[in-house]
Amino acid sequence: MSTPIIDTAGAVRPGEELDIPALDAWLRQHLPDLQGQPAVTQYSGGASNWTYRVAYANEDLILRRPPAGTKAKSAHDMGREYRLQAALKPVFPFVPSMRAHCEDPAVIGAEFYVMDRVSGIILRRNPPRGWSQTPDQVRTLCLKVLDTLIALHQVDHQAAGLAHLGAGQGYARRQIEGWSRRYRDARTWNVPGGERITDWLMAHLPRTERICITHNDFRFDNLVLDAQDPTRILGVLDWELATLGDPLMDLGNLLAYWVQADDDFLAQATRRQPTHLPGMLSRREVVDYYVARTGFVPEDWAFYEVYGLFRLSAIAQQIYYRYHHRQTRNPAFKNFWIFVHYLHWRCRRAMREGR
């Protein structure tokens, strides 16, 4: 088997360049053993924070910073993301090692932090060239992905010093209220109102609520796989949305992106990860596996399914709103309003079926 391509960064996008001399000077103050001159490249994935690779002769670093023009610090809180991962690393080894955090925006124009790069494969819409995993190997990978999420949900956040991470109880209500508001604020004339779905969610809030560390963006494209053994997970990335929340809602978020082989053409057209491959579990199998391994039995799985789908519709609508109002001209966002309709149809179907 040829080795699948390791995920790499590319050229820095115009207008998103770093002040390399200033960055290099700051890094050498905090990491004095750096050797050589830095080679800076940028990762193209993601629609939130900007992510760069800063490679020295003896160190391979990742730099994360907010996008230009960010006004709300809470939306791109680099310090929170840095401290969270530093505290979580000793009890959840899939977190990259944190190296330094800069609060001074004068250095490169924004707060930032650097961490060790985790080298490996990242699965996006389709596997990279050289991928030749059998269905049994794909199933093994799928189960290890779920086991990693389960391991996160079983971390003792009190012992890890992360009790301050979120407000805890009442999480489900806060999430429904928050995403309902964000959807309303981003609504355009060509998408549904969504009140039927949000009213249903509020009427079906779980009576009991478990609270644990939740990632809230746990997907295949935020996982780094071992290039020599692509069934082995090396790292979990993008902790911007992590908090103390309901583990079943975290699972619902994951499954909102989970397009299986027998889904309809609209789902297949919007697929972002290779969950359609032979060997992957179906959404129903994912839920059954998770429940069997954790004992977290949902009162009504439909609530978590509808929540994940509605939340994804709100995210898609927020992106489409920017396109609709000409804040971005990225043609990839042109038809997101159709996707919003589709996700609301899936919500209503799950509400009827009450699975």
Side-chain angles (χ1 to χ4, degrees), residues 173 176 196-207 300 303:
R173 177 178 294 275
I176 304 308
R196 177 182 169 194
I197 297 170
T198 56
D199 288 349
W200 185 93
L201 285 167
M202 291 299 291
H204 289 79
L205 288 169
R207 290 171 294 179
D300 179 6
F303 170 82

Side-chain angles (χ1 to χ4, degrees), residues 277-304:
L277 294 177
M280 285 284 181
L281 273 65
S282 68
R283 288 185 294 272
R284 184 71 258 173
E285 289 171 329
V286 168
V287 175
D288 290 344
Y289 181 84
Y290 182 93
V291 169
R293 294 297 295 266
T294 64
F296 297 166
V297 181
E299 299 169 24
D300 179 6
W301 173 251
F303 170 82
Y304 303 98

Side-chain angles (χ1 to χ4, degrees), residues 155-326:
V155 167
D156 185 338
H157 58 274
Q158 299 278 356
L162 292 169
H164 65 282
L165 194 58
Q169 292 297 326
Y171 175 81
R173 177 178 294 275
R174 290 192 301 274
Q175 288 295 298
I176 304 308
E177 290 174 346
W179 286 109
S180 299
R181 181 180 65 254
R182 295 181 196 106
Y183 182 80
R184 288 194 305 270
D185 290 347
R187 189 187 172 203
T188 50
W189 67 268
N190 51 352
V191 297
E195 292 86 356
R196 177 182 169 194
I197 297 170
T198 56
D199 288 349
W200 185 93
L201 285 167
M202 291 299 291
H204 289 79
L205 288 169
R207 290 171 294 179
T208 58
E209 195 171 46
R210 298 174 181 86
I211 297 297
C212 68
I213 298 175
T214 54
H215 184 278
N216 292 314
D217 204 15
F218 194 89
R219 309 189 310 254
F220 278 83
D221 55 352
N222 278 330
L223 305 176
V224 184
L225 310 181
D226 188 338
Q228 302 306 315
D229 176 9
T231 67
R232 179 173 171 245
I233 297 167
L234 299 178
V236 179
L237 308 177
D238 200 352
W239 292 86
E240 180 182 0
L241 301 177
T243 190
L244 296 183
D246 186 325
L248 292 172
M249 294 175 79
D250 209 9
L251 184 65
N253 293 337
L254 167 66
L255 290 183
Y257 290 95
W258 199 283
V259 177
Q260 54 197 49
D262 60 351
D263 278 337
D264 57 53
F265 77 96
L266 270 175
Q268 300 296 340
T270 58
R271 181 175 52 78
R272 294 186 54 184
Q273 51 189 0
T275 47
H276 67 303
L277 294 177
M280 285 284 181
L281 273 65
S282 68
R283 288 185 294 272
R284 184 71 258 173
E285 289 171 329
V286 168
V287 175
D288 290 344
Y289 181 84
Y290 182 93
V291 169
R293 294 297 295 266
T294 64
F296 297 166
V297 181
E299 299 169 24
D300 179 6
W301 173 251
F303 170 82
Y304 303 98
E305 181 179 4
V306 173
Y307 161 72
L309 292 168
F310 178 74
R311 172 183 178 267
L312 182 55
S313 81
I315 293 170
Q317 181 59 25
Q318 286 177 317
I319 296 170
Y320 177 73
Y321 179 92
R322 294 177 57 229
Y323 178 87
H324 184 81
H325 291 280
R326 299 182 178 273

